[in-house]
Amino acid sequence: SCRQKWCEAYGKSFSANKVHKEFETILERLKIKESIINLLEEVSHDFYNIQEKQIQRQNRDNDKEIKELDKSINQLEERILGTNDTKIIALYEKRLGDLLDKKHIIESAGKWYQEINMGDPVKLFEWTKELLENPYRVWNDSDIEDKRLLVKVLFNNKMYYWKISGIWTPEM
């Protein structure tokens, strides 16, 4: 309903089906320029290359830290073998356990970081391209959460319905 007291539709409701059909009509008419698709492809490849370099840098840093940990672990193992004092051995073993835990965390985090950040750029680009080329089809194949995301991606601002002119946004 209209929120303006001077409007003839003030306080009156609209048919949800009518509003939904009009929105779907807008989605069917949305078309993206080929130049935008090309730009998107370039940006997605650049983004992937940046991500790949970040992962390589992170892997190098992790490898360096793991080598330092391995060196400390080996020194502690030698110290444990070189002493007979049970209190010192217990301290060394505690420190050794801490170093081994830290090494395991770094190794696991590196694998997790790579898995999370290295999605398939081709698959991501194809999905985005399909969304931009035919948002109506994506809308029909989506659940409610994806539909909300789709509206946020395609329309910057809130959408309004005016009984006379239909759906509009400040950009329309």
Side-chain angles (χ1 to χ4, degrees), residues 20-34:
H20 291 177
K21 286 192 185 303
E22 188 169 335
F23 177 74
E24 288 178 354
T25 301
I26 290 171
L27 284 179
E28 284 180 299
R29 287 186 287 167
L30 279 177
K31 299 295 175 209
I32 191 112
K33 293 179 181 177
E34 189 65 31

Side-chain angles (χ1 to χ4, degrees), residues 23 26-27 30 150-157 159 169:
F23 177 74
I26 290 171
L27 284 179
L30 279 177
L150 182 66
V151 169
K152 287 179 183 179
V153 167
L154 295 175
F155 302 99
N156 285 340
N157 292 311
M159 299 179 75
T169 69

Side-chain angles (χ1 to χ4, degrees), residues 1-157:
S1 69
C2 184
R3 295 174 189 237
Q4 306 297 324
K5 289 187 177 187
W6 53 265
C7 179
E8 66 183 52
Y10 177 73
K12 296 178 182 165
S13 61
F14 304 115
S15 166
N17 285 339
K18 182 178 179 183
V19 175
H20 291 177
K21 286 192 185 303
E22 188 169 335
F23 177 74
E24 288 178 354
T25 301
I26 290 171
L27 284 179
E28 284 180 299
R29 287 186 287 167
L30 279 177
K31 299 295 175 209
I32 191 112
K33 293 179 181 177
E34 189 65 31
S35 61
I36 300 293
I37 298 289
N38 294 337
L39 178 63
L40 174 67
E41 185 173 20
E42 288 178 33
V43 168
S44 66
H45 286 295
D46 289 347
F47 178 74
Y48 179 78
N49 290 335
I50 289 168
Q51 252 187 337
E52 191 172 26
K53 287 178 184 174
Q54 286 176 334
I55 288 171
Q56 289 171 353
R57 189 176 323 114
Q58 184 67 45
N59 286 341
R60 278 194 307 272
D61 293 346
N62 287 350
D63 289 345
K64 182 179 177 183
E65 192 166 355
I66 287 172
K67 283 181 184 177
E68 291 172 8
L69 286 170
D70 283 339
K71 183 178 177 184
S72 296
I73 288 168
N74 287 336
Q75 289 173 345
L76 277 175
E77 288 172 342
E78 288 175 12
R79 289 179 185 169
I80 290 171
L81 294 175
T83 187
N84 292 327
D85 188 339
T86 56
K87 290 182 181 180
I88 293 178
I89 290 174
L91 289 172
Y92 285 157
E93 286 177 342
K94 182 183 179 332
R95 177 73 179 134
L96 181 64
D98 292 344
L99 291 175
L100 289 170
D101 288 345
K102 186 174 182 179
K103 179 181 174 183
H104 177 71
I105 289 169
I106 291 170
E107 289 171 339
S108 299
K111 291 175 187 170
W112 173 83
Y113 183 80
Q114 190 164 352
E115 288 172 9
I116 294 297
N117 288 299
M118 290 300 287
D120 184 355
V122 174
K123 193 181 284 186
L124 178 61
F125 171 71
E126 290 300 323
W127 181 85
T128 307
K129 182 178 175 185
E130 179 185 358
L131 167 67
L132 294 174
E133 287 178 337
N134 194 346
Y136 178 70
R137 188 176 67 200
V138 174
W139 176 266
N140 283 332
D141 294 342
S142 297
D143 62 15
I144 190 72
E145 292 299 319
D146 288 343
K147 287 180 178 180
R148 285 185 182 141
L149 178 62
L150 182 66
V151 169
K152 287 179 183 179
V153 167
L154 295 175
F155 302 99
N156 285 340
N157 292 311

